[in-house]
């Protein structure tokens, strides 16, 4: 009986944690969509597909999914030089956007969970705070 009660408590606790986490991610993504619209849409376009050979796609981006820290660093400090996204080389400059760390969290959560990207662990403020130039 103690085992059943203990198991029940663990299951309910886990479900509550994931429900809260999902709500927080959804709210972060909503804020991130607005930031994307304000800062990113000009180059990466509304559908996240970018401009061929000029601005890399964020949609279904292998680079974003496989280079999480570098992606966050690029949003935080800007990015210069070549990178390969979905097999295509892009060699351009992305200037720093001047976003606060909280805004970087939100826009990264939006991008990593939109445009055909999925399954990424939620980006946290602590994670962004640790990214140094």
């Amino acid at each position: 009986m103690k085992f059943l009660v203990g198991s029940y408590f663990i299951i309910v606790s886990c479900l509550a944690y994931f429900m809260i986490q999902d709500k927080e991610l959804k709210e972060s993504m909503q804020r991130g969509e607005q930031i994307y619209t304000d800062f990113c849409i000009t180059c990466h376009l509304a559908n996240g597909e970018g401009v061929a050979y000029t601005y890399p796609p964020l949609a279904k981006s292998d680079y974003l999914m496989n280079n999480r820290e570098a992606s966050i660093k690029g949003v935080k400090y800007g990015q210069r030089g070549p990178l390969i996204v979905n097999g295509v080389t892009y060699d351009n400059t992305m200037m720093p956007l001047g976003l606060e760390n909280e805004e970087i969290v939100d826009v990264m959560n939006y991008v990593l969970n939109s445009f055909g990207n999925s399954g990424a662990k939620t980006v946290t403020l602590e994670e962004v705070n640790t990214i140094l130039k």
Side-chain angles (χ1 to χ4, degrees), residues 101-121:
N101 285 354
E102 293 84 358
E103 294 172 310
I104 295 168
V105 167
D106 293 338
V107 77
M108 286 299 300
N109 281 326
Y110 172 69
V111 169
L112 289 171
N113 292 283
S114 301
F115 312 123
N117 301 319
S118 65
K121 184 180 88 178

Side-chain angles (χ1 to χ4, degrees), residues 44 48-67 70-71 79 81-92 94 111 115 117:
H44 296 288
E49 291 183 359
V51 177
Y53 303 99
T54 306
Y55 303 114
L58 304 176
K60 300 177 186 170
S61 171
D62 62 351
Y63 184 86
L64 283 175
M65 303 312 283
N66 297 324
N67 298 282
S71 298
Q79 193 160 352
L83 57 112
I84 299 171
V85 181
N86 299 340
V88 177
T89 301
Y90 293 84
D91 191 1
N92 209 337
M94 182 173 107
V111 169
F115 312 123
N117 301 319

Side-chain angles (χ1 to χ4, degrees), residues 4-67:
L4 289 176
V5 171
S7 297
Y8 176 77
F9 178 73
I10 290 171
I11 291 170
V12 169
S13 297
C14 289
L15 288 174
Y17 172 77
F18 287 113
M19 288 173 60
I20 290 168
Q21 189 176 18
D22 286 346
K23 182 181 180 215
E24 290 174 0
L25 176 60
K26 186 176 181 177
E27 290 171 355
S28 176
M29 288 177 61
Q30 288 172 341
R31 293 187 303 266
E33 182 177 19
Q34 185 60 52
I35 295 164
Y36 183 88
T37 300
D38 291 345
F39 290 91
C40 312
I41 202 168
T42 303
C43 298
H44 296 288
L45 307 180
N47 59 9
E49 291 183 359
V51 177
Y53 303 99
T54 306
Y55 303 114
L58 304 176
K60 300 177 186 170
S61 171
D62 62 351
Y63 184 86
L64 283 175
M65 303 312 283
N66 297 324
N67 298 282

